PDB file of all heavy atoms in Angstrom:
ATOM      1  N   PRO A   1     -44.253  52.088  56.715  1.00  0.00           N
ATOM      2  CA  PRO A   1     -45.424  51.470  56.091  1.00  0.00           C
ATOM      3  C   PRO A   1     -45.083  50.624  54.868  1.00  0.00           C
ATOM      4  O   PRO A   1     -45.774  49.638  54.580  1.00  0.00           O
ATOM      5  CB  PRO A   1     -46.290  52.682  55.702  1.00  0.00           C
ATOM      6  CG  PRO A   1     -45.838  53.784  56.586  1.00  0.00           C
ATOM      7  CD  PRO A   1     -44.376  53.550  56.785  1.00  0.00           C
ATOM      8  N   VAL A   2     -44.029  51.013  54.151  1.00  0.00           N
ATOM      9  CA  VAL A   2     -43.601  50.232  52.989  1.00  0.00           C
ATOM     10  C   VAL A   2     -43.152  48.850  53.436  1.00  0.00           C
ATOM     11  O   VAL A   2     -43.524  47.822  52.841  1.00  0.00           O
ATOM     12  CB  VAL A   2     -42.471  50.958  52.231  1.00  0.00           C
ATOM     13  CG1 VAL A   2     -41.922  50.076  51.117  1.00  0.00           C
ATOM     14  CG2 VAL A   2     -42.968  52.276  51.671  1.00  0.00           C
ATOM     15  N   LEU A   3     -42.358  48.790  54.519  1.00  0.00           N
ATOM     16  CA  LEU A   3     -41.842  47.517  54.997  1.00  0.00           C
ATOM     17  C   LEU A   3     -42.881  46.734  55.804  1.00  0.00           C
ATOM     18  O   LEU A   3     -42.672  45.558  56.093  1.00  0.00           O
ATOM     19  CB  LEU A   3     -40.579  47.748  55.829  1.00  0.00           C
ATOM     20  CG  LEU A   3     -39.381  48.286  55.031  1.00  0.00           C
ATOM     21  CD1 LEU A   3     -38.202  48.545  55.949  1.00  0.00           C
ATOM     22  CD2 LEU A   3     -38.994  47.331  53.906  1.00  0.00           C
ATOM     23  N   GLU A   4     -43.974  47.390  56.183  1.00  0.00           N
ATOM     24  CA  GLU A   4     -45.083  46.651  56.789  1.00  0.00           C
ATOM     25  C   GLU A   4     -45.823  45.837  55.724  1.00  0.00           C
ATOM     26  O   GLU A   4     -46.288  44.725  55.993  1.00  0.00           O
ATOM     27  CB  GLU A   4     -46.056  47.618  57.468  1.00  0.00           C
ATOM     28  CG  GLU A   4     -45.527  48.209  58.772  1.00  0.00           C
ATOM     29  CD  GLU A   4     -46.471  49.248  59.347  1.00  0.00           C
ATOM     30  OE1 GLU A   4     -47.536  49.509  58.721  1.00  0.00           O
ATOM     31  OE2 GLU A   4     -46.154  49.815  60.407  1.00  0.00           O
ATOM     32  N   ARG A   5     -45.897  46.402  54.519  1.00  0.00           N
ATOM     33  CA  ARG A   5     -46.624  45.730  53.433  1.00  0.00           C
ATOM     34  C   ARG A   5     -45.733  44.780  52.642  1.00  0.00           C
ATOM     35  O   ARG A   5     -46.229  43.829  52.036  1.00  0.00           O
ATOM     36  CB  ARG A   5     -47.224  46.769  52.477  1.00  0.00           C
ATOM     37  CG  ARG A   5     -48.219  47.722  53.106  1.00  0.00           C
ATOM     38  CD  ARG A   5     -48.925  48.551  52.041  1.00  0.00           C
ATOM     39  NE  ARG A   5     -47.991  49.307  51.216  1.00  0.00           N
ATOM     40  CZ  ARG A   5     -47.594  50.545  51.479  1.00  0.00           C
ATOM     41  NH1 ARG A   5     -48.040  51.171  52.566  1.00  0.00           N
ATOM     42  NH2 ARG A   5     -46.761  51.170  50.669  1.00  0.00           N
ATOM     43  N   ALA A   6     -44.438  45.063  52.605  1.00  0.00           N
ATOM     44  CA  ALA A   6     -43.517  44.295  51.763  1.00  0.00           C
ATOM     45  C   ALA A   6     -42.469  43.588  52.613  1.00  0.00           C
ATOM     46  O   ALA A   6     -42.122  44.037  53.703  1.00  0.00           O
ATOM     47  CB  ALA A   6     -42.830  45.217  50.756  1.00  0.00           C
ATOM     48  N   ASP A   7     -41.956  42.485  52.093  1.00  0.00           N
ATOM     49  CA  ASP A   7     -40.901  41.754  52.781  1.00  0.00           C
ATOM     50  C   ASP A   7     -39.555  42.469  52.673  1.00  0.00           C
ATOM     51  O   ASP A   7     -38.676  42.260  53.515  1.00  0.00           O
ATOM     52  CB  ASP A   7     -40.776  40.348  52.190  1.00  0.00           C
ATOM     53  CG  ASP A   7     -42.027  39.514  52.438  1.00  0.00           C
ATOM     54  OD1 ASP A   7     -42.252  39.131  53.600  1.00  0.00           O
ATOM     55  OD2 ASP A   7     -42.789  39.270  51.483  1.00  0.00           O
ATOM     56  N   ALA A   8     -39.391  43.287  51.648  1.00  0.00           N
ATOM     57  CA  ALA A   8     -38.158  44.051  51.460  1.00  0.00           C
ATOM     58  C   ALA A   8     -38.414  45.116  50.402  1.00  0.00           C
ATOM     59  O   ALA A   8     -39.417  45.071  49.682  1.00  0.00           O
ATOM     60  CB  ALA A   8     -36.999  43.141  51.026  1.00  0.00           C
ATOM     61  N   MET A   9     -37.494  46.074  50.319  1.00  0.00           N
ATOM     62  CA  MET A   9     -37.591  47.115  49.298  1.00  0.00           C
ATOM     63  C   MET A   9     -36.348  47.089  48.421  1.00  0.00           C
ATOM     64  O   MET A   9     -35.230  46.881  48.910  1.00  0.00           O
ATOM     65  CB  MET A   9     -37.731  48.500  49.940  1.00  0.00           C
ATOM     66  CG  MET A   9     -37.963  49.617  48.912  1.00  0.00           C
ATOM     67  SD  MET A   9     -38.080  51.259  49.675  1.00  0.00           S
ATOM     68  CE  MET A   9     -36.364  51.537  50.139  1.00  0.00           C
ATOM     69  N   LEU A  10     -36.541  47.305  47.132  1.00  0.00           N
ATOM     70  CA  LEU A  10     -35.452  47.334  46.160  1.00  0.00           C
ATOM     71  C   LEU A  10     -35.236  48.761  45.687  1.00  0.00           C
ATOM     72  O   LEU A  10     -36.185  49.481  45.410  1.00  0.00           O
ATOM     73  CB  LEU A  10     -35.795  46.450  44.955  1.00  0.00           C
ATOM     74  CG  LEU A  10     -36.390  45.071  45.240  1.00  0.00           C
ATOM     75  CD1 LEU A  10     -36.774  44.390  43.930  1.00  0.00           C
ATOM     76  CD2 LEU A  10     -35.424  44.219  46.044  1.00  0.00           C
ATOM     77  N   CYS A  11     -33.975  49.173  45.579  1.00  0.00           N
ATOM     78  CA  CYS A  11     -33.635  50.492  45.040  1.00  0.00           C
ATOM     79  C   CYS A  11     -32.183  50.453  44.565  1.00  0.00           C
ATOM     80  O   CYS A  11     -31.447  49.523  44.891  1.00  0.00           O
ATOM     81  CB  CYS A  11     -33.835  51.593  46.084  1.00  0.00           C
ATOM     82  SG  CYS A  11     -32.706  51.511  47.494  1.00  0.00           S
ATOM     83  N   PRO A  12     -31.732  51.437  43.788  1.00  0.00           N
ATOM     84  CA  PRO A  12     -30.339  51.424  43.341  1.00  0.00           C
ATOM     85  C   PRO A  12     -29.362  51.577  44.504  1.00  0.00           C
ATOM     86  O   PRO A  12     -29.685  52.150  45.548  1.00  0.00           O
ATOM     87  CB  PRO A  12     -30.260  52.635  42.399  1.00  0.00           C
ATOM     88  CG  PRO A  12     -31.669  52.899  41.977  1.00  0.00           C
ATOM     89  CD  PRO A  12     -32.505  52.532  43.166  1.00  0.00           C
ATOM     90  N   THR A  13     -28.158  51.071  44.320  1.00  0.00           N
ATOM     91  CA  THR A  13     -27.071  51.316  45.267  1.00  0.00           C
ATOM     92  C   THR A  13     -26.456  52.680  45.003  1.00  0.00           C
ATOM     93  O   THR A  13     -26.250  53.469  45.925  1.00  0.00           O
ATOM     94  CB  THR A  13     -25.993  50.220  45.149  1.00  0.00           C
ATOM     95  OG1 THR A  13     -26.591  48.945  45.401  1.00  0.00           O
ATOM     96  CG2 THR A  13     -24.865  50.460  46.133  1.00  0.00           C
ATOM     97  N   CYS A  14     -26.156  52.957  43.758  1.00  0.00           N
ATOM     98  CA  CYS A  14     -25.680  54.270  43.326  1.00  0.00           C
ATOM     99  C   CYS A  14     -26.548  54.733  42.164  1.00  0.00           C
ATOM    100  O   CYS A  14     -26.982  53.918  41.341  1.00  0.00           O
ATOM    101  CB  CYS A  14     -24.214  54.225  42.891  1.00  0.00           C
ATOM    102  SG  CYS A  14     -23.062  53.984  44.252  1.00  0.00           S
ATOM    103  N   ALA A  15     -26.780  56.025  42.102  1.00  0.00           N
ATOM    104  CA  ALA A  15     -27.649  56.563  41.056  1.00  0.00           C
ATOM    105  C   ALA A  15     -26.960  56.616  39.703  1.00  0.00           C
ATOM    106  O   ALA A  15     -27.633  56.705  38.677  1.00  0.00           O
ATOM    107  CB  ALA A  15     -28.113  57.968  41.455  1.00  0.00           C
ATOM    108  N   LYS A  16     -25.637  56.559  39.695  1.00  0.00           N
ATOM    109  CA  LYS A  16     -24.867  56.624  38.454  1.00  0.00           C
ATOM    110  C   LYS A  16     -24.017  55.371  38.308  1.00  0.00           C
ATOM    111  O   LYS A  16     -23.704  54.698  39.296  1.00  0.00           O
ATOM    112  CB  LYS A  16     -23.937  57.854  38.449  1.00  0.00           C
ATOM    113  CG  LYS A  16     -24.595  59.154  38.912  1.00  0.00           C
ATOM    114  CD  LYS A  16     -25.737  59.576  38.031  1.00  0.00           C
ATOM    115  CE  LYS A  16     -26.419  60.821  38.611  1.00  0.00           C
ATOM    116  NZ  LYS A  16     -27.675  61.132  37.914  1.00  0.00           N
ATOM    117  N   PRO A  17     -23.600  55.044  37.096  1.00  0.00           N
ATOM    118  CA  PRO A  17     -22.689  53.904  36.924  1.00  0.00           C
ATOM    119  C   PRO A  17     -21.347  54.190  37.583  1.00  0.00           C
ATOM    120  O   PRO A  17     -21.018  55.334  37.915  1.00  0.00           O
ATOM    121  CB  PRO A  17     -22.537  53.795  35.403  1.00  0.00           C
ATOM    122  CG  PRO A  17     -23.684  54.563  34.828  1.00  0.00           C
ATOM    123  CD  PRO A  17     -23.996  55.643  35.808  1.00  0.00           C
ATOM    124  N   ALA A  18     -20.581  53.144  37.772  1.00  0.00           N
ATOM    125  CA  ALA A  18     -19.235  53.311  38.309  1.00  0.00           C
ATOM    126  C   ALA A  18     -18.437  54.239  37.401  1.00  0.00           C
ATOM    127  O   ALA A  18     -18.542  54.167  36.177  1.00  0.00           O
ATOM    128  CB  ALA A  18     -18.541  51.956  38.416  1.00  0.00           C
ATOM    129  N   PRO A  19     -17.618  55.137  37.988  1.00  0.00           N
ATOM    130  CA  PRO A  19     -16.884  56.102  37.173  1.00  0.00           C
ATOM    131  C   PRO A  19     -15.643  55.489  36.546  1.00  0.00           C
ATOM    132  O   PRO A  19     -15.081  54.513  37.045  1.00  0.00           O
ATOM    133  CB  PRO A  19     -16.488  57.173  38.188  1.00  0.00           C
ATOM    134  CG  PRO A  19     -16.300  56.400  39.454  1.00  0.00           C
ATOM    135  CD  PRO A  19     -17.367  55.329  39.428  1.00  0.00           C
ATOM    136  N   LEU A  20     -15.210  56.062  35.439  1.00  0.00           N
ATOM    137  CA  LEU A  20     -13.905  55.737  34.888  1.00  0.00           C
ATOM    138  C   LEU A  20     -12.838  56.395  35.741  1.00  0.00           C
ATOM    139  O   LEU A  20     -13.051  57.464  36.319  1.00  0.00           O
ATOM    140  CB  LEU A  20     -13.799  56.233  33.441  1.00  0.00           C
ATOM    141  CG  LEU A  20     -14.752  55.589  32.435  1.00  0.00           C
ATOM    142  CD1 LEU A  20     -14.657  56.304  31.097  1.00  0.00           C
ATOM    143  CD2 LEU A  20     -14.443  54.113  32.273  1.00  0.00           C
ATOM    144  N   HIS A  21     -11.689  55.771  35.834  1.00  0.00           N
ATOM    145  CA  HIS A  21     -10.612  56.329  36.644  1.00  0.00           C
ATOM    146  C   HIS A  21     -10.009  57.537  35.935  1.00  0.00           C
ATOM    147  O   HIS A  21      -9.648  57.469  34.768  1.00  0.00           O
ATOM    148  CB  HIS A  21      -9.532  55.278  36.892  1.00  0.00           C
ATOM    149  CG  HIS A  21      -8.381  55.801  37.695  1.00  0.00           C
ATOM    150  ND1 HIS A  21      -8.523  56.215  38.999  1.00  0.00           N
ATOM    151  CD2 HIS A  21      -7.082  55.980  37.381  1.00  0.00           C
ATOM    152  CE1 HIS A  21      -7.351  56.629  39.445  1.00  0.00           C
ATOM    153  NE2 HIS A  21      -6.461  56.496  38.479  1.00  0.00           N
ATOM    154  N   ARG A  22      -9.907  58.647  36.648  1.00  0.00           N
ATOM    155  CA  ARG A  22      -9.311  59.866  36.080  1.00  0.00           C
ATOM    156  C   ARG A  22      -8.282  60.434  37.044  1.00  0.00           C
ATOM    157  O   ARG A  22      -8.400  61.557  37.531  1.00  0.00           O
ATOM    158  CB  ARG A  22     -10.389  60.929  35.801  1.00  0.00           C
ATOM    159  CG  ARG A  22     -11.459  60.502  34.804  1.00  0.00           C
ATOM    160  CD  ARG A  22     -12.299  61.711  34.403  1.00  0.00           C
ATOM    161  NE  ARG A  22     -13.379  61.332  33.510  1.00  0.00           N
ATOM    162  CZ  ARG A  22     -14.636  61.103  33.912  1.00  0.00           C
ATOM    163  NH1 ARG A  22     -14.935  61.202  35.185  1.00  0.00           N
ATOM    164  NH2 ARG A  22     -15.564  60.762  33.042  1.00  0.00           N
ATOM    165  N   GLY A  23      -7.317  59.646  37.380  1.00  0.00           N
ATOM    166  CA  GLY A  23      -6.309  60.123  38.307  1.00  0.00           C
ATOM    167  C   GLY A  23      -6.907  60.273  39.694  1.00  0.00           C
ATOM    168  O   GLY A  23      -7.556  59.370  40.220  1.00  0.00           O
ATOM    169  N   LEU A  24      -6.730  61.443  40.321  1.00  0.00           N
ATOM    170  CA  LEU A  24      -7.206  61.650  41.672  1.00  0.00           C
ATOM    171  C   LEU A  24      -8.697  61.944  41.711  1.00  0.00           C
ATOM    172  O   LEU A  24      -9.321  61.859  42.763  1.00  0.00           O
ATOM    173  CB  LEU A  24      -6.442  62.816  42.331  1.00  0.00           C
ATOM    174  CG  LEU A  24      -4.949  62.578  42.538  1.00  0.00           C
ATOM    175  CD1 LEU A  24      -4.311  63.824  43.133  1.00  0.00           C
ATOM    176  CD2 LEU A  24      -4.715  61.386  43.450  1.00  0.00           C
ATOM    177  N   THR A  25      -9.284  62.329  40.582  1.00  0.00           N
ATOM    178  CA  THR A  25     -10.698  62.693  40.555  1.00  0.00           C
ATOM    179  C   THR A  25     -11.468  61.657  39.766  1.00  0.00           C
ATOM    180  O   THR A  25     -11.265  61.513  38.564  1.00  0.00           O
ATOM    181  CB  THR A  25     -10.890  64.086  39.917  1.00  0.00           C
ATOM    182  OG1 THR A  25     -10.104  65.023  40.642  1.00  0.00           O
ATOM    183  CG2 THR A  25     -12.350  64.497  39.981  1.00  0.00           C
ATOM    184  N   SER A  26     -12.363  60.932  40.443  1.00  0.00           N
ATOM    185  CA  SER A  26     -13.109  59.873  39.783  1.00  0.00           C
ATOM    186  C   SER A  26     -14.368  60.385  39.110  1.00  0.00           C
ATOM    187  O   SER A  26     -14.794  59.860  38.100  1.00  0.00           O
ATOM    188  CB  SER A  26     -13.469  58.784  40.802  1.00  0.00           C
ATOM    189  OG  SER A  26     -12.293  58.163  41.274  1.00  0.00           O
ATOM    190  N   TYR A  27     -14.995  61.409  39.694  1.00  0.00           N
ATOM    191  CA  TYR A  27     -16.210  61.979  39.126  1.00  0.00           C
ATOM    192  C   TYR A  27     -15.958  63.425  38.728  1.00  0.00           C
ATOM    193  O   TYR A  27     -15.166  64.131  39.351  1.00  0.00           O
ATOM    194  CB  TYR A  27     -17.350  61.964  40.142  1.00  0.00           C
ATOM    195  CG  TYR A  27     -17.991  60.622  40.344  1.00  0.00           C
ATOM    196  CD1 TYR A  27     -17.748  59.879  41.493  1.00  0.00           C
ATOM    197  CD2 TYR A  27     -18.858  60.095  39.398  1.00  0.00           C
ATOM    198  CE1 TYR A  27     -18.358  58.656  41.693  1.00  0.00           C
ATOM    199  CE2 TYR A  27     -19.472  58.861  39.587  1.00  0.00           C
ATOM    200  CZ  TYR A  27     -19.214  58.153  40.730  1.00  0.00           C
ATOM    201  OH  TYR A  27     -19.811  56.941  40.927  1.00  0.00           O
ATOM    202  N   THR A  28     -16.642  63.863  37.692  1.00  0.00           N
ATOM    203  CA  THR A  28     -16.675  65.280  37.367  1.00  0.00           C
ATOM    204  C   THR A  28     -18.053  65.806  37.714  1.00  0.00           C
ATOM    205  O   THR A  28     -18.981  65.045  37.987  1.00  0.00           O
ATOM    206  CB  THR A  28     -16.409  65.508  35.862  1.00  0.00           C
ATOM    207  OG1 THR A  28     -17.521  64.996  35.115  1.00  0.00           O
ATOM    208  CG2 THR A  28     -15.137  64.818  35.410  1.00  0.00           C
ATOM    209  N   ALA A  29     -18.225  67.115  37.691  1.00  0.00           N
ATOM    210  CA  ALA A  29     -19.520  67.713  38.021  1.00  0.00           C
ATOM    211  C   ALA A  29     -20.610  67.214  37.079  1.00  0.00           C
ATOM    212  O   ALA A  29     -21.758  67.026  37.479  1.00  0.00           O
ATOM    213  CB  ALA A  29     -19.414  69.232  37.955  1.00  0.00           C
ATOM    214  N   ASP A  30     -20.246  66.957  35.819  1.00  0.00           N
ATOM    215  CA  ASP A  30     -21.242  66.475  34.856  1.00  0.00           C
ATOM    216  C   ASP A  30     -21.682  65.041  35.155  1.00  0.00           C
ATOM    217  O   ASP A  30     -22.772  64.622  34.777  1.00  0.00           O
ATOM    218  CB  ASP A  30     -20.676  66.538  33.431  1.00  0.00           C
ATOM    219  CG  ASP A  30     -20.488  67.975  32.953  1.00  0.00           C
ATOM    220  OD1 ASP A  30     -21.166  68.862  33.506  1.00  0.00           O
ATOM    221  OD2 ASP A  30     -19.667  68.187  32.055  1.00  0.00           O
ATOM    222  N   ASP A  31     -20.832  64.276  35.842  1.00  0.00           N
ATOM    223  CA  ASP A  31     -21.149  62.889  36.133  1.00  0.00           C
ATOM    224  C   ASP A  31     -22.230  62.750  37.197  1.00  0.00           C
ATOM    225  O   ASP A  31     -22.940  61.759  37.252  1.00  0.00           O
ATOM    226  CB  ASP A  31     -19.910  62.139  36.654  1.00  0.00           C
ATOM    227  CG  ASP A  31     -18.921  61.831  35.548  1.00  0.00           C
ATOM    228  OD1 ASP A  31     -19.369  61.613  34.411  1.00  0.00           O
ATOM    229  OD2 ASP A  31     -17.717  61.823  35.818  1.00  0.00           O
ATOM    230  N   MET A  32     -22.328  63.718  38.093  1.00  0.00           N
ATOM    231  CA  MET A  32     -23.110  63.489  39.296  1.00  0.00           C
ATOM    232  C   MET A  32     -24.111  64.587  39.629  1.00  0.00           C
ATOM    233  O   MET A  32     -24.162  65.062  40.746  1.00  0.00           O
ATOM    234  CB  MET A  32     -22.190  63.259  40.484  1.00  0.00           C
ATOM    235  CG  MET A  32     -20.959  64.147  40.528  1.00  0.00           C
ATOM    236  SD  MET A  32     -19.782  63.609  41.766  1.00  0.00           S
ATOM    237  CE  MET A  32     -20.162  64.753  43.076  1.00  0.00           C
ATOM    238  N   PRO A  33     -24.932  65.035  38.657  1.00  0.00           N
ATOM    239  CA  PRO A  33     -25.996  65.951  39.032  1.00  0.00           C
ATOM    240  C   PRO A  33     -26.978  65.241  39.947  1.00  0.00           C
ATOM    241  O   PRO A  33     -27.437  64.150  39.655  1.00  0.00           O
ATOM    242  CB  PRO A  33     -26.654  66.296  37.685  1.00  0.00           C
ATOM    243  CG  PRO A  33     -26.333  65.149  36.798  1.00  0.00           C
ATOM    244  CD  PRO A  33     -24.987  64.663  37.245  1.00  0.00           C
ATOM    245  N   GLY A  34     -27.279  65.860  41.073  1.00  0.00           N
ATOM    246  CA  GLY A  34     -28.194  65.235  42.016  1.00  0.00           C
ATOM    247  C   GLY A  34     -27.542  64.195  42.909  1.00  0.00           C
ATOM    248  O   GLY A  34     -28.203  63.552  43.710  1.00  0.00           O
ATOM    249  N   GLY A  35     -26.220  64.020  42.830  1.00  0.00           N
ATOM    250  CA  GLY A  35     -25.541  63.100  43.724  1.00  0.00           C
ATOM    251  C   GLY A  35     -25.419  61.700  43.153  1.00  0.00           C
ATOM    252  O   GLY A  35     -25.968  61.374  42.114  1.00  0.00           O
ATOM    253  N   VAL A  36     -24.675  60.861  43.852  1.00  0.00           N
ATOM    254  CA  VAL A  36     -24.368  59.517  43.373  1.00  0.00           C
ATOM    255  C   VAL A  36     -24.887  58.439  44.321  1.00  0.00           C
ATOM    256  O   VAL A  36     -25.715  57.620  43.950  1.00  0.00           O
ATOM    257  CB  VAL A  36     -22.846  59.349  43.171  1.00  0.00           C
ATOM    258  CG1 VAL A  36     -22.525  57.913  42.767  1.00  0.00           C
ATOM    259  CG2 VAL A  36     -22.344  60.317  42.114  1.00  0.00           C
ATOM    260  N   THR A  37     -24.405  58.438  45.547  1.00  0.00           N
ATOM    261  CA  THR A  37     -24.734  57.346  46.452  1.00  0.00           C
ATOM    262  C   THR A  37     -26.193  57.374  46.888  1.00  0.00           C
ATOM    263  O   THR A  37     -26.789  58.435  47.046  1.00  0.00           O
ATOM    264  CB  THR A  37     -23.827  57.377  47.695  1.00  0.00           C
ATOM    265  OG1 THR A  37     -24.182  56.283  48.545  1.00  0.00           O
ATOM    266  CG2 THR A  37     -23.988  58.679  48.459  1.00  0.00           C
ATOM    267  N   MET A  38     -26.748  56.172  47.075  1.00  0.00           N
ATOM    268  CA  MET A  38     -28.107  56.052  47.620  1.00  0.00           C
ATOM    269  C   MET A  38     -28.095  55.155  48.854  1.00  0.00           C
ATOM    270  O   MET A  38     -29.127  54.638  49.274  1.00  0.00           O
ATOM    271  CB  MET A  38     -29.060  55.527  46.545  1.00  0.00           C
ATOM    272  CG  MET A  38     -29.205  56.492  45.371  1.00  0.00           C
ATOM    273  SD  MET A  38     -30.227  55.900  44.003  1.00  0.00           S
ATOM    274  CE  MET A  38     -31.874  55.916  44.716  1.00  0.00           C
ATOM    275  N   THR A  39     -26.917  54.994  49.431  1.00  0.00           N
ATOM    276  CA  THR A  39     -26.763  54.132  50.605  1.00  0.00           C
ATOM    277  C   THR A  39     -26.869  54.888  51.919  1.00  0.00           C
ATOM    278  O   THR A  39     -27.297  54.315  52.932  1.00  0.00           O
ATOM    279  CB  THR A  39     -25.405  53.410  50.570  1.00  0.00           C
ATOM    280  OG1 THR A  39     -24.349  54.383  50.563  1.00  0.00           O
ATOM    281  CG2 THR A  39     -25.286  52.543  49.322  1.00  0.00           C
ATOM    282  N   CYS A  40     -26.454  56.161  51.937  1.00  0.00           N
ATOM    283  CA  CYS A  40     -26.372  56.914  53.196  1.00  0.00           C
ATOM    284  C   CYS A  40     -27.679  56.951  53.986  1.00  0.00           C
ATOM    285  O   CYS A  40     -27.651  56.813  55.218  1.00  0.00           O
ATOM    286  CB  CYS A  40     -25.893  58.337  52.928  1.00  0.00           C
ATOM    287  SG  CYS A  40     -24.184  58.439  52.363  1.00  0.00           S
ATOM    288  N   PRO A  41     -28.849  57.139  53.340  1.00  0.00           N
ATOM    289  CA  PRO A  41     -30.079  57.214  54.140  1.00  0.00           C
ATOM    290  C   PRO A  41     -30.304  56.012  55.039  1.00  0.00           C
ATOM    291  O   PRO A  41     -30.813  56.150  56.162  1.00  0.00           O
ATOM    292  CB  PRO A  41     -31.177  57.329  53.079  1.00  0.00           C
ATOM    293  CG  PRO A  41     -30.513  57.968  51.903  1.00  0.00           C
ATOM    294  CD  PRO A  41     -29.125  57.395  51.911  1.00  0.00           C
ATOM    295  N   PHE A  42     -29.890  54.832  54.602  1.00  0.00           N
ATOM    296  CA  PHE A  42     -30.174  53.630  55.379  1.00  0.00           C
ATOM    297  C   PHE A  42     -29.225  53.464  56.558  1.00  0.00           C
ATOM    298  O   PHE A  42     -29.465  52.638  57.441  1.00  0.00           O
ATOM    299  CB  PHE A  42     -30.167  52.408  54.466  1.00  0.00           C
ATOM    300  CG  PHE A  42     -31.185  52.527  53.362  1.00  0.00           C
ATOM    301  CD1 PHE A  42     -30.791  52.799  52.051  1.00  0.00           C
ATOM    302  CD2 PHE A  42     -32.535  52.440  53.635  1.00  0.00           C
ATOM    303  CE1 PHE A  42     -31.729  52.942  51.048  1.00  0.00           C
ATOM    304  CE2 PHE A  42     -33.484  52.580  52.632  1.00  0.00           C
ATOM    305  CZ  PHE A  42     -33.085  52.840  51.333  1.00  0.00           C
ATOM    306  N   ASN A  43     -28.147  54.257  56.598  1.00  0.00           N
ATOM    307  CA  ASN A  43     -27.300  54.277  57.780  1.00  0.00           C
ATOM    308  C   ASN A  43     -28.036  54.866  58.978  1.00  0.00           C
ATOM    309  O   ASN A  43     -27.632  54.652  60.122  1.00  0.00           O
ATOM    310  CB  ASN A  43     -26.033  55.099  57.515  1.00  0.00           C
ATOM    311  CG  ASN A  43     -25.110  54.444  56.513  1.00  0.00           C
ATOM    312  OD1 ASN A  43     -25.172  53.248  56.296  1.00  0.00           O
ATOM    313  ND2 ASN A  43     -24.262  55.241  55.885  1.00  0.00           N
ATOM    314  N   LEU A  44     -29.096  55.622  58.720  1.00  0.00           N
ATOM    315  CA  LEU A  44     -29.872  56.220  59.809  1.00  0.00           C
ATOM    316  C   LEU A  44     -30.773  55.205  60.493  1.00  0.00           C
ATOM    317  O   LEU A  44     -31.314  55.486  61.565  1.00  0.00           O
ATOM    318  CB  LEU A  44     -30.724  57.377  59.265  1.00  0.00           C
ATOM    319  CG  LEU A  44     -29.962  58.577  58.695  1.00  0.00           C
ATOM    320  CD1 LEU A  44     -30.929  59.559  58.042  1.00  0.00           C
ATOM    321  CD2 LEU A  44     -29.152  59.270  59.784  1.00  0.00           C
ATOM    322  N   PHE A  45     -30.959  54.056  59.883  1.00  0.00           N
ATOM    323  CA  PHE A  45     -31.873  53.052  60.419  1.00  0.00           C
ATOM    324  C   PHE A  45     -31.087  51.772  60.661  1.00  0.00           C
ATOM    325  O   PHE A  45     -31.154  50.821  59.890  1.00  0.00           O
ATOM    326  CB  PHE A  45     -33.035  52.811  59.448  1.00  0.00           C
ATOM    327  CG  PHE A  45     -33.662  54.085  58.947  1.00  0.00           C
ATOM    328  CD1 PHE A  45     -33.675  54.390  57.593  1.00  0.00           C
ATOM    329  CD2 PHE A  45     -34.214  55.000  59.825  1.00  0.00           C
ATOM    330  CE1 PHE A  45     -34.243  55.560  57.130  1.00  0.00           C
ATOM    331  CE2 PHE A  45     -34.776  56.187  59.375  1.00  0.00           C
ATOM    332  CZ  PHE A  45     -34.793  56.468  58.022  1.00  0.00           C
ATOM    333  N   GLY A  46     -30.339  51.754  61.750  1.00  0.00           N
ATOM    334  CA  GLY A  46     -29.352  50.711  61.980  1.00  0.00           C
ATOM    335  C   GLY A  46     -29.893  49.306  62.043  1.00  0.00           C
ATOM    336  O   GLY A  46     -29.186  48.353  61.767  1.00  0.00           O
TER     337      GLY A  46
END
């Protein structure tokens, strides 16, 4: 229904800013409460 009324929808790509490089671990638990990516849901609608 959103896309029936609108030509497109805008939302963040990632919920958090890009991380600083920390060796093998880019994010810490404090960086990503509630997750980071917001792209995965749209993979369900090819």
Side-chain angles (χ1 to χ4, degrees):
V2 174
L3 294 177
E4 287 175 0
R5 299 190 303 269
D7 295 289
M9 185 182 72
L10 315 175
C11 67
T13 301
C14 290
K16 314 298 176 190
L20 296 173
H21 179 65
R22 299 191 183 97
L24 295 177
T25 304
S26 295
Y27 283 106
T28 68
D30 291 337
D31 285 328
M32 40 191 260
V36 176
T37 180
M38 296 176 70
T39 60
C40 292
F42 301 106
N43 292 339
L44 296 173
F45 312 120

